[in-house]
Amino acid sequence: MLSKLLTGVLLFAALLAAQPASAHDYHASITDVAYNPRTQSLEVAVKVFMDDLEDALSRQAKSNITYSSSSVAVKEQLSDYLQSTLSFGLEKGKPLKAKLLGSEADADVVWLYVEVPVQQAALTQLYIKNAILTDLFTDQMNIVNVNYKGKTESVLLQPGEVTKKLTF
């Protein structure tokens, strides 16, 4: 029953996230994570609404930030923001070092690309923290899809519950 409910929520949120959001009434991000056994790293892509991200970066910088993928200052702001809101770990309370590879705008959303070296041939568990925008919106939903060995597990993280553990 809980599985069907979670699947329904995830599908609904995915449909909403695919719609244009000139003035969106919902707050969601989607994070896709894939384990690459060749590089022993997590390849992460985060999709977030541009206006919400700009609000979060502006709050963090205490000045008005406008997204630009070519701005060095914005890249630094993005990296700092992701370090404080998104992490992955093999052990509880021990996040792995992540590196922002880049970002790109696509209409009214921004894609953020992150690499997380795991230095392990196989995963048994993964601690996921996704607090993106949860300090701005009480209705924020962060959907994280983790693809490991051809199987995808999805978790929903929101204010009050920004960390979960997946076991493989």
Side-chain angles (χ1 to χ4, degrees):
M1 178 70 178
L2 181 61
S3 176
K4 286 183 180 181
L5 176 63
L6 182 58
T7 301
V9 168
L10 294 177
L11 287 173
F12 177 72
L15 287 173
L16 288 177
Q19 299 297 315
S22 54
H24 55 272
D25 293 331
Y26 59 93
H27 300 99
S29 77
I30 298 177
T31 301
D32 292 324
V33 181
Y35 176 72
N36 184 330
R38 186 181 56 77
T39 61
Q40 293 185 347
S41 64
L42 300 174
E43 297 170 347
V44 182
V46 181
K47 180 181 179 182
V48 64
F49 288 112
M50 186 181 303
D51 60 337
D52 294 343
L53 181 61
E54 288 173 337
D55 287 348
L57 295 178
S58 295
R59 177 184 268 195
Q60 174 183 280
K62 296 179 177 57
S63 66
N64 190 31
I65 302 290
T66 302
Y67 174 78
S68 165
S69 63
S70 61
S71 166
V72 173
V74 170
K75 285 180 188 176
E76 289 174 6
Q77 288 289 329
L78 284 171
S79 182
D80 290 347
Y81 184 71
L82 286 176
Q83 283 184 353
S84 67
T85 59
L86 182 70
S87 66
F88 301 90
L90 302 177
E91 298 177 43
K92 187 174 186 174
K94 295 187 177 181
L96 297 167
K97 185 140 178 87
K99 178 182 178 186
L100 177 65
L101 300 177
S103 64
E104 64 182 340
D106 182 14
D108 56 356
V109 299
V110 175
W111 283 95
L112 307 167
Y113 303 104
V114 178
E115 182 178 50
V116 183
V118 176
Q119 306 297 314
Q120 223 168 278
L123 299 178
T124 57
Q125 63 188 20
L126 185 65
Y127 289 88
I128 302 165
K129 172 189 170 190
N130 188 333
I132 291 173
L133 303 174
T134 57
D135 61 332
L136 289 179
F137 307 110
T138 58
D139 63 339
Q140 179 69 31
M141 294 185 300
N142 295 320
I143 301 161
V144 181
N145 304 306
V146 179
N147 185 303
Y148 180 65
K149 293 188 175 180
K151 184 178 176 189
T152 300
E153 297 280 337
S154 297
V155 294
L156 174 64
L157 302 165
Q158 46 198 352
E161 187 178 21
V162 296
T163 304
K164 287 199 179 169
K165 175 186 170 185
L166 285 180
T167 304
F168 304 103

